[in-house]
Amino acid sequence: MARSLLSPTTAEQPKTADVIIVGGGPAGTAAAWALERAQPGIQIVLIERAAQPGSGASNASLENFRTAWAAPCLARLMTRSIDLFMHPGEFFGEDTDLGAKQRGYLWCAFTEAQAAKLHAEVEHLHAIGLPHIQYLDTSEVQARFGWLGPKLLAGKYDPRAGWLDSYALIQAFLRACQTTTVLLGVPDVRLVREGDRITGVETVAGRITAPATLIAAGADSRGVAATAGVHLPLVMRPRQSFTTSWRHPEFPADGPAIIGSAPFPHVRPEAQDGAIFGFEYAWNAKGMGENGRAAEALEAPIYPVDRWKDPRMPSVALMLLAKQFGHERGGFASPNYLRGLDHRAGYYVYRDAANAYTTSADGQQRGYDSQRAILDAHPEVHGLFLSVAHVGHGIMSAPAAGEIVASRILGRPLPDSAFADFAWGAHYVEHDSGGLTPDNAGVES
Ligand SMILES: Cc1cc2nc3c(=O)[nH]c(=O)nc-3n(C[C@H](O)[C@H](O)[C@H](O)COP(=O)(O)OP(=O)(O)OC[C@H]3O[C@@H](n4cnc5c(N)ncnc54)[C@H](O)[C@@H]3O)c2cc1C
């Protein structure tokens, strides 16, 4: 079990470490776990600003995982992580329960054109080594998921998808650590820079010196790097979710996560009687820019993040699902869904347009919404490492992302050559734009 100190005094705070990790969310705790597995005895100091780990975007997350990713690097990242979610005893000890439920993920088509698109996607996924992804024609999808209504024409189904308890995952990472010290409730960490090298951090309780520092601070990563004059190519977009305490009776507790057609409202069962919904849309961007103008993305997070909660979001997501599935009174049209719901917001963090771009024949560069995290050493500043830009899947990718960044820090070969696509300098990767389907940028829960 990692040793934890809340608001450590100067006397309590370690003075040195082999690795300092800034940020105690899925990315930072996974890195500590993977570093200790790769090099037992390594001395790690993990610094978390809040009084408890997991105090960032994971709090708003749907906590879903899936293997169906069109880019091979992402598919392999998730496949490795899901292997761990489904065998926690092997990695964390016998009694570990991550709350993982492998109940599948169903993408829905309501028109022939949408069905043809899902069919093509399934063929592509088979071609990149995911033969378990199924295309369900009308008779199959109706036989298995007829409770969704007669408008459901076809489906793409990932039987290895599901969801887990992200807080249990973070705790499991920390419980598996032996030589990590977690400093909680530590505000205003500053990187210490000497020339072209980061040599440690400065906290309110003094300096910690280390040859390697990893930034894994989610939406605040850019700000942490800026304390040493280092620029990170990141932008943020607020996203929302809501949990209901009620679920319509036909929607079974062992049902899959369901994603509708564009603009892709999605939902999965939650606990005994509830459901958790997500839906991403451009309205959020309004008012983010200077002087209230629409902005495409934020360069710095604005807090409290709850300011991005659009009170209309829950009813719009439900209305879209009801419309797509043809539910007129019951089902997703039931007003019971809107009673006592818990609405949350958090940031997705992306590579910016200067880092993820396509290049046309005439040399023009055009930014795109890459789904790839940066899991790498900083290309110019020595001793600085990054586990950032986890977009909408930093929980499902956490174990493998931790292993990749541990390899980078320890100077070892990557666990899989496909993971070179998570390098800072990998500006474009085929099939990397959009989350669930090739042209639906932004939907990747
Ligand atoms: C609405 C929504 C739905 C989502 N759905 C899913 C999903 O279904 N599946 C999935 O896998 N992912 C999902 N995600 C994405 C997932 O939550 C993120 O990708 C993941 O949380 C990123 O992990 P992280 O550790 O990089 O950052 P975070 O989770 O944001 O954690 C960062 C941590 O660093 C700490 N920190 C920040 N600044 C400092 C500082 N200066 N010093 C010290 N500590 C600091 C924070 O307090 C926090 O604990 C969703 C996100 C949202 C918003």
Side-chain angles (χ1 to χ4, degrees), residues 353 355-360 363-368 427-429 433:
N355 186 276
Y357 52 81
T358 55
T359 310
S360 59
Q364 289 272 340
Q365 290 177 353
R366 195 160 168 265
Y368 74 98
H427 299 302
Y428 172 72
V429 162
S433 94

Side-chain angles (χ1 to χ4, degrees), residues 22-28 47-50 53-58 60-64 186 189 216-220 224 239-241 346-348 387 390-396 445:
V22 182
I47 302 173
E48 167 57 49
R49 181 175 61 185
S55 294
S58 56
S61 163
L62 270 75
E63 305 178 314
N64 288 341
V186 178
V189 172
D220 296 282
V224 172
R239 301 295 189 201
Q240 304 167 69
S241 65
Y347 288 108
Y348 279 17
S387 179
H390 292 283
V391 195
H393 46 265
I395 295 163
M396 69 175 97
S445 293

